Amino acid sequence: DADVTQTPRNRITKTGKRIMLECSQTKGHDRMYWYRQDPGLGLRLIYYSFDVKDINKGEISDGYSVSRQAQAKFSLSLESAIPNQTALYFCATAVGGAGRQETQYFGPGTRLLVL
Amino acid sequence: AQSVAQPEDQVNVAEGNPLTVKCTYSVSGNPYLFWYVQYPNRGLQFLLKYITGDNLVKGSYGFEAEFNKSQTSFHLKKPSALVSDSALYFCAVSSGQTGANNLFFGTGTRLTVIP
């Protein structure tokens, strides 16, 4: 979905390096999410944000941090990358206000390899 | 606790035949259920969702899903499969936690439509 963009699309880094994955959206949605996808495990939630001042931990937040710089931007940082953080990372957005009915819209993903 | 099970890692079907991708769920309270599809090197695309009402939900690309409360299932179906339907399919359930809408994903089912 071109309305949700992620940069970079692919990244190779070394153990111990700090890296940032960025997500931008033009959908005007309030809510933004970061997930990681691992083979055989589906998607797991890392962090989510309901607005600029509201950041919440997800299922697997250890080793990650986030920043909601603006309504349209939500960045995920790996403070000190480790090999088991090698995964496909997805950003998603939702309009908010609809509670559990909301549909999330996903970006194209960032493939991260930590050596 | 909420969870989703997709019992089949792989489903193969001949082009033109009906297809079914299975999903069962466990959730506190009323279930809100979603199907997403992931094409190679792409993000997840929303197909359909069940909120309330008619147990048969129609979605994008000719897909539909049947909600069965007694069997806690939400199977994805299509009357006539196309080769272009080959992709990875994820079932997801919305969390019952107040104020949150965390999606819990199944591990995915890879559908291959054979010409």
Side-chain angles (χ1 to χ4, degrees):
Chain A
D1 190 329
D3 298 325
V4 184
T5 57
Q6 293 184 233
T7 55
R9 293 294 310 277
N10 295 278
R11 178 74 182 269
I12 300 174
T13 191
K14 295 182 179 180
T15 297
K17 294 292 187 181
R18 182 181 189 277
I19 66 165
M20 179 182 290
L21 309 182
E22 298 188 357
C23 176
S24 295
Q25 53 114 347
T26 59
K27 300 180 82 69
H29 288 174
D30 296 323
R31 302 187 176 198
M32 299 187 73
Y33 304 79
W34 274 106
Y35 293 88
R36 64 176 280 176
Q37 181 183 17
D38 297 277
L41 294 179
L43 277 75
R44 292 179 292 167
L45 182 64
I46 306 172
Y47 270 94
Y48 62 100
S49 169
F50 285 175
D51 64 38
V52 175
K53 298 180 180 179
D54 183 1
I55 304 290
N56 303 279
K57 292 183 178 180
E59 181 186 355
I60 52 163
S61 59
D62 287 349
Y64 301 95
S65 63
V66 291
S67 173
R68 185 81 184 265
Q69 302 96 321
Q71 185 197 38
K73 297 183 182 296
F74 192 37
S75 300
L76 176 72
S77 294
L78 285 68
E79 299 300 326
S80 180
I82 56 177
N84 76 1
Q85 291 178 312
T86 292
L88 184 56
Y89 289 85
F90 286 107
C91 175
T93 74
V95 68
R100 295 170 58 213
Q101 303 180 28
E102 66 184 31
T103 298
Q104 294 184 18
Y105 297 90
F106 287 78
T110 294
R111 192 170 297 277
L112 175 67
L113 174 61
V114 182
L115 300 175
Chain B
Q2 41 282 317
S3 64
V4 172
Q6 293 182 243
E8 301 161 316
D9 293 333
Q10 174 81 42
V11 170
N12 297 324
V13 63
E15 186 177 22
N17 282 3
L19 69 86
T20 299
V21 182
K22 295 179 180 178
C23 172
T24 59
Y25 66 90
S26 174
V27 66
S28 303
N30 293 324
Y32 288 3
L33 297 155
F34 300 77
W35 274 103
Y36 285 84
V37 59
Q38 183 180 24
Y39 298 101
N41 300 313
R42 300 286 296 276
L44 277 70
Q45 296 180 28
F46 170 74
L47 278 179
L48 51 80
K49 66 181 178 183
Y50 171 81
I51 303 301
T52 187
D54 194 344
N55 289 344
L56 186 64
V57 179
K58 294 187 182 297
S60 305
Y61 313 122
F63 284 93
E64 57 189 27
E66 186 171 11
F67 171 66
N68 187 317
K69 187 174 183 178
S70 63
Q71 296 185 5
T72 62
S73 67
F74 189 55
H75 300 330
L76 182 70
K77 301 180 179 183
K78 187 172 183 180
S80 179
L82 301 173
V83 173
S84 58
D85 293 329
S86 298
L88 187 57
Y89 290 80
F90 289 97
C91 182
V93 65
S94 179
S95 164
Q97 292 177 314
T98 301
N101 185 36
N102 298 346
L103 282 178
F104 290 84
F105 286 84
T107 54
T109 298
R110 187 165 299 281
L111 172 68
T112 300
V113 181
I114 302 165

